[in-house]
């Protein structure tokens, strides 16, 4: 059963890139995107029978996980920016703190199962990359990770199942290491205390009075891959409004949309919160309308 599930999972993964027609917004410190229609206008045009993004995930987590792995591989820089060298003591399968809070900030809880898909996609993609660097053959590693993925999908990503699947993966990799000259030893040393990092930033608009809403870039791209308009706050149901005078926790690239008091066209774009940490505030500025 496990081998059959793994075969199906890998076959779907091979087909997933064709489903994801991703469009990356242009890059800058505060990046300008094409204007999105206001959320209420999009909501009015949304058929009542259309599933939201999170509903699609709950309806078929296996297929949606494959889609998420494609999205994460293409659109999230944290896979590269958090890459660490293989240590002399061996490759630590737990070297990264892949938790929803540390990957998605304020969206860690609210994204629900979708957030879990993001975290597991980051985890397995990092393993694939790092184990190749640690001297492991690509094919057997891909098969082992495929069985890990299949176990998680079959149990709807339950934590108890993930723990058992992790131990099975570790044992399989240890056996592979013994058969692979030069491969690093496999270890599993917990380095994450499960407490989220401090990602809080204040939000300001210029001029004041703008109504800002946000979505992590990876979830924005995931909606797009699902063929859901990312600006539709009803179907792409991960948008959050600014919290007034309270800071928000931004863990990675974030897309924003600001509606202005004078009802001018909303300002949209994306920003890297790490570039705003020193100031402690991300300021979203109104841009003059295009002529």
């Amino acid at each position: 059963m496990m081998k059959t599930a793994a075969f199906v999972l890998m076959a779907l993964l091979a087909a997933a890139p064709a489903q994801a027609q991703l469009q990356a917004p242009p890059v800058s410190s505060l990046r300008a995107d094409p204007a999105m229609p206001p959320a209420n206008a999009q909501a009015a045009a949304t058929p009542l029978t259309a599933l939201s993004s999170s509903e699609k995930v709950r309806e078929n987590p296996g297929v949606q996980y494959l889609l998420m792995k494609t999205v994460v591989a293409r659109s999230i820089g944290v896979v590269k920016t958090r890459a660490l060298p293989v240590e002399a003591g061996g490759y630590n399968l737990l070297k990264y703190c892949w938790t929803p809070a540390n990957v998605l900030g304020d969206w860690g809880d609210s994204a629900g199962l979708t957030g879990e898909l993001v975290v597991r996609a980051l985890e397995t993609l990092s393993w694939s990359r790092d184990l190749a660097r640690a001297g492991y053959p690509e094919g057997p590693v891909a098969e082992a990770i495929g069985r890990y993925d299949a176990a998680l999908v079959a149990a709807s990503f339950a934590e108890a199942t993930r723990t058992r699947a992790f131990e099975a993966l570790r044992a399989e990799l240890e056996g592979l290491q013994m058969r692979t000259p030069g491969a690093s030893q496999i270890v599993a040393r917990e380095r994450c205390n499960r407490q989220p990092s401090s990602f809080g930033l204040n939000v300001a608009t210029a001029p004041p009075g703008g109504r800002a809403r946000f979505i992590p870039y990876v979830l924005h791209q995931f909606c797009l891959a699902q063929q859901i308009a990312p600006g539709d706050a009803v179907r792409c149901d991960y948008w959050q409004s600014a919290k007034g005078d309270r800071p928000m926790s931004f863990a990675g690239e974030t897309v924003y949309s600001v509606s202005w008091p004078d009802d001018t066209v909303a300002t949209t774009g994306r920003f890297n919160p790490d570039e705003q940490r020193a100031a402690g505030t991300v300021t979203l500025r109104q841009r003059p309308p295009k002529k």
Side-chain angles (χ1 to χ4, degrees), residues 183-206:
S184 298
Q185 180 182 355
I186 292 293
V187 297
R189 293 189 294 266
E190 183 66 69
R191 297 176 60 175
C192 181
N193 61 9
R194 298 285 175 178
Q195 295 298 315
S197 301
S198 177
F199 296 132
L201 286 176
N202 294 309
V203 176
T205 64

Side-chain angles (χ1 to χ4, degrees), residues 16-92:
Q19 302 176 44
Q21 301 300 318
L22 304 182
Q23 300 171 358
V27 176
S28 65
S29 179
L30 284 176
R31 302 158 179 85
D33 291 343
M36 294 181 287
N40 56 353
Q42 291 176 333
T46 300
L48 295 179
T49 56
L51 294 178
S52 70
S53 174
S54 61
E55 287 171 339
K56 282 176 173 279
V57 169
R58 291 191 295 270
E59 183 181 68
N60 196 332
V63 170
Q64 297 299 311
Y65 178 50
L66 293 168
L67 195 59
M68 181 64 80
K69 291 191 81 164
T70 302
V71 170
V72 168
R74 292 184 179 186
S75 66
I76 194 163
V78 72
V79 174
K80 295 181 180 178
T81 58
R82 293 190 186 179
L84 298 173
V86 177
E87 299 172 350
Y91 177 66
N92 183 11

Side-chain angles (χ1 to χ4, degrees), residues 88-151:
Y91 177 66
N92 183 11
L93 290 170
L94 300 175
K95 69 192 300 183
Y96 304 107
C97 291
W98 297 134
T99 66
N102 282 328
V103 171
L104 297 173
D106 271 349
W107 287 260
D109 290 331
S110 62
L113 182 56
T114 307
E116 189 68 19
L117 301 192
V118 175
V119 172
R120 301 282 75 87
L122 282 165
E123 176 183 66
T124 54
L125 288 167
S126 296
W127 285 339
S128 296
R129 175 201 61 206
D130 289 358
L131 287 167
R133 295 175 178 174
Y136 285 76
E138 181 178 344
V141 166
E143 292 174 6
I145 291 175
R147 285 185 278 274
Y148 173 85
D149 279 340

Side-chain angles (χ1 to χ4, degrees), residues 205-222:
T205 64
R211 298 181 300 279
R213 59 190 180 110
F214 304 91
I215 182 173
Y217 179 59
V218 65
L219 298 182
H220 177 278
Q221 294 298 97
F222 183 56

Side-chain angles (χ1 to χ4, degrees), residues 251-268:
E253 289 271 338
T254 303
V255 175
Y256 67 89
S257 176
V258 185
S259 300
W260 302 101
D262 58 3
D263 292 326
T264 54
V265 175
T267 301
T268 62

